[in-house]
Amino acid sequence: MKKSAAILMLAGSVFAVSMAEIRAQNSIRTPPSTIAWPTKGWAKGVPASVGVDEKVLVSLDSDLASGKYPLVDSFAVFRCGVDVFERTYAHDYGTIYAKEAKTRGPLNAHLTGPYNYFDPAWHPYYQGSDLHSMQSVSKTVSSITIGIAITRGDFKAGLDTPLLKYFDIAKVKNVDDRKRRITLRHVLTMSTGLDWNEEVAYDDPKNDADLMEATDDWVRYVIDRPMAQEPGKVFNYSSGVSELLAYIFQKETGQDIEKYAEKYLFAPLGMGHYWKRSPMGVVDTEGGLFLRTTDLAKIGYLYLHDGMWDGQQIVSRDWVKQSLTPFIDAEEGFKYGFKWWLLPRTDKTGFVWMARGFGGQRLMVFPDENLIAVFTGWDILKDPPIERELVNRILPAVRAQACAAER
C-alpha cells in the first residue's frame, strides 16, 4: 500500500521530456571501466571520499534518532558506488502497536497472518530477519520486472494493449466504453479512470486498498470497479490497479512475476527478498515485497546506469527512459512515470527519482549528484509526506560535483 493520493488533472496531454533533458545536468557519471558493482555488497567509504559533508548527514541522523521524524528504521547514503553512511534505529513494534495488533480493523482485517500490519512477526521486518517491508516500492519493482520481460522478449504485448484483453469480459462488472479503453500504459501510470478511493488514511474503513485486501480475490475486486473518469486523463493513486500487474504478467508471459524477478533481477543484482501473496496466491505487486536497505539502493544504482549492471543490460535504456519521463501530474507536486515518482528540483532543471511506500519506505535517486538515499520506517498511523524536507536536508551535504574517478 501507499499513502493517500489526491486526484489531480493531467496538465496538457503528455510531458515530452527526453532522458537527455532529465539528466542534462548530470556531471558526475562514473566511467563504466571504473564502476564498482555492488553485486556481492557495497564498497564501504567515508562521506568525504566522495565529496559529501558528513556533518550534514550526522545532523539528519541525530534528528532521526531523536524521533523528530517518527519510527524511521534505517537511513543510508550511497554515492559514486560507495556506501558512505548507514544507520539503523531500533523500535519495539510489538509494544508500540500491541493494542492494534489484537484489534480487527482496516489494517488488520484478519487479526493474524501477513496482512495484519501491526503483527511484529510480519511487519516491518519479515519474521525477525533484516528484510524490511517495502510496501508500495513493490509497485516500482513490479514495473521494472515488466520492463525486463519486455527487454528479453517474454512480454510481447505493447503498452497500448487493452486491459480487458486479459479478462473474460462477460464476467467483468461495470463494463462500458471507458473501461474498454483502459490500456496497460494507464495501469502503469495510475490513470485507468477506475473508481477507487485511496485518498483517505489506511486505517479508514472507506479505503479501497484495505477493502481489497480484506477479500480473497483481489483482482476481481479491482476489475469490477465502475469507471469514474476517462482513462489517461486523471491521476488517481490505486494499489488495486498495481495488483493487476501480477495477474497481467502471468497471463501475458505464462510465468510468475516473483520467480521471473528472482531470476532476472534479484539474482543478477545480488538481492535477497521475500514477497507476499494474496489469499488466491497472486503475487502482491501492490505492496508485498520485503528487501534489505542496501539492496533497495541497488534498484536506484541500476537506473542510474540506464538499466546496465556489470556489463549486462538488465532492462533496456528505453524502458528506463520511459519510466522516468513524467506522464501525469500526481500528488504533493510530484510527476508520475511508470510506477516512479518524479519530484521536480527547485534548484535546477530535473527530478529526484523516487520509489515510495506506506510507513516511510523511500528510495531517492539524485541523478545529477550520482547519489542514492534510502529510508525505511513503520509510521503507519501518520505517515507524513516529508520527501521534500528530506531532499532539502540531504542535498546540502554534496560538496563536490564530480566523483573522484572523474576529477
Side-chain angles (χ1 to χ4, degrees):
M1 293 193 295
K2 185 65 184 65
K3 59 188 63 173
S4 58
I7 300 179
L8 295 174
M9 294 300 293
L10 172 64
S13 55
V14 175
F15 289 85
V17 181
S18 69
M19 180 59 72
E21 291 171 313
I22 289 174
R23 308 179 71 165
Q25 304 298 321
N26 190 350
S27 61
I28 44 65
R29 297 293 300 283
T30 306
S33 60
T34 66
I35 293 173
W37 296 98
T39 308
K40 296 183 179 180
W42 291 88
K44 300 287 186 177
V46 296
S49 69
V50 291
V52 172
D53 186 342
E54 186 172 7
K55 292 180 180 179
V56 176
L57 302 183
V58 168
S59 176
L60 177 53
D61 166 48
S62 178
D63 285 342
L64 293 170
S66 70
K68 178 178 180 179
Y69 306 99
L71 301 180
V72 174
D73 295 324
S74 70
F75 165 48
V77 175
F78 309 78
R79 193 178 191 214
C80 306
V82 180
D83 180 345
V84 296
F85 196 88
E86 193 175 342
R87 299 288 188 273
T88 58
Y89 314 92
H91 303 287
D92 183 357
Y93 288 110
T95 299
I96 293 170
Y97 294 129
K99 179 181 177 181
E100 291 85 353
K102 299 176 182 178
T103 305
R104 193 182 301 275
L107 287 172
N108 185 7
H110 303 287
L111 287 179
T112 186
Y115 291 96
N116 176 350
Y117 288 90
F118 303 107
D119 183 347
W122 282 99
H123 298 95
Y125 293 98
Y126 171 62
Q127 299 185 354
S129 72
D130 58 353
L131 295 171
H132 196 284
S133 176
M134 291 291 102
Q135 292 302 297
S136 283
V137 173
S138 311
K139 297 174 171 66
T140 308
V141 175
S142 298
S143 169
I144 294 169
T145 306
I146 288 176
I148 293 170
I150 290 174
T151 300
R152 298 184 59 83
D154 295 322
F155 193 106
K156 301 184 185 304
L159 296 187
D160 295 318
T161 300
L163 172 61
L164 289 180
K165 168 191 173 183
Y166 301 101
F167 294 88
D168 181 349
I169 296 180
K171 297 180 179 179
V172 177
K173 297 179 181 178
N174 299 304
V175 174
D176 62 11
D177 287 343
R178 291 179 299 179
K179 185 173 280 192
R180 293 177 187 275
R181 286 194 287 272
I182 298 174
T183 67
L184 301 185
R185 191 183 308 275
H186 299 138
V187 173
L188 286 167
T189 56
M190 298 286 192
S191 61
T192 62
L194 287 168
D195 184 17
W196 189 268
N197 181 10
E198 209 165 328
E199 300 168 40
V200 297
Y202 285 108
D203 59 351
D204 189 312
K206 296 188 294 294
N207 191 302
D208 271 304
D210 294 326
L211 294 171
M212 175 189 72
E213 288 190 1
T215 69
D216 288 335
D217 193 340
W218 296 5
V219 171
R220 178 59 54 191
Y221 181 90
V222 177
I223 198 61
D224 282 346
R225 297 296 299 165
M227 295 296 292
Q229 303 286 344
E230 179 67 26
K233 300 300 183 182
V234 176
F235 178 88
N236 184 19
Y237 190 86
S238 171
S239 292
V241 300
S242 299
E243 179 57 19
L244 296 180
L245 294 178
Y247 172 84
I248 293 166
F249 193 91
Q250 178 73 46
K251 288 288 187 179
E252 178 63 32
T253 68
Q255 301 186 58
D256 180 270
I257 194 169
E258 178 191 6
K259 294 178 180 177
Y260 196 92
E262 166 63 31
K263 185 174 182 179
Y264 296 114
L265 177 62
F266 300 143
L269 271 59
M271 299 171 62
H273 83 284
Y274 176 79
W275 210 329
K276 296 191 295 186
R277 293 174 181 256
S278 76
M280 301 284 286
V282 180
V283 179
D284 182 356
T285 45
E286 54 96 21
L289 184 61
F290 291 72
L291 297 173
R292 297 180 181 90
T293 299
T294 52
D295 284 346
L296 174 56
K298 293 178 182 180
I299 295 295
Y301 204 61
L302 176 69
Y303 267 53
L304 270 178
H305 293 93
D306 301 317
M308 178 72 72
W309 192 272
D310 198 10
Q312 180 182 358
Q313 194 73 46
I314 301 292
V315 61
S316 73
R317 291 173 178 266
D318 182 64
W319 184 264
V320 173
K321 174 183 175 181
Q322 289 187 69
S323 298
L324 300 173
T325 297
F327 179 83
I328 200 165
D329 279 346
E331 61 180 72
E332 300 153 12
F334 281 89
K335 314 295 184 184
Y336 202 70
F338 289 172
K339 306 299 183 189
W340 282 89
W341 297 87
L342 308 170
L343 185 66
R345 296 280 294 253
T346 58
D347 57 335
K348 60 172 69 174
T349 301
F351 301 95
V352 181
W353 312 333
M354 294 192 198
R356 306 163 72 202
F358 174 58
Q361 324 324 313
R362 297 177 174 97
L363 167 63
M364 299 180 172
V365 183
F366 301 80
D368 292 0
E369 288 74 24
N370 198 2
L371 185 143
I372 299 165
V374 175
F375 298 85
T376 63
W378 205 237
D379 188 12
I380 59 176
L381 294 181
K382 294 180 180 178
D383 196 20
I386 57 173
E387 281 79 6
R388 178 68 75 181
E389 184 174 353
L390 292 175
V391 165
N392 291 338
R393 294 290 302 269
I394 292 169
L395 272 175
V398 179
R399 300 303 189 195
Q401 286 301 306
C403 290
E406 292 184 270
R407 293 201 296 269

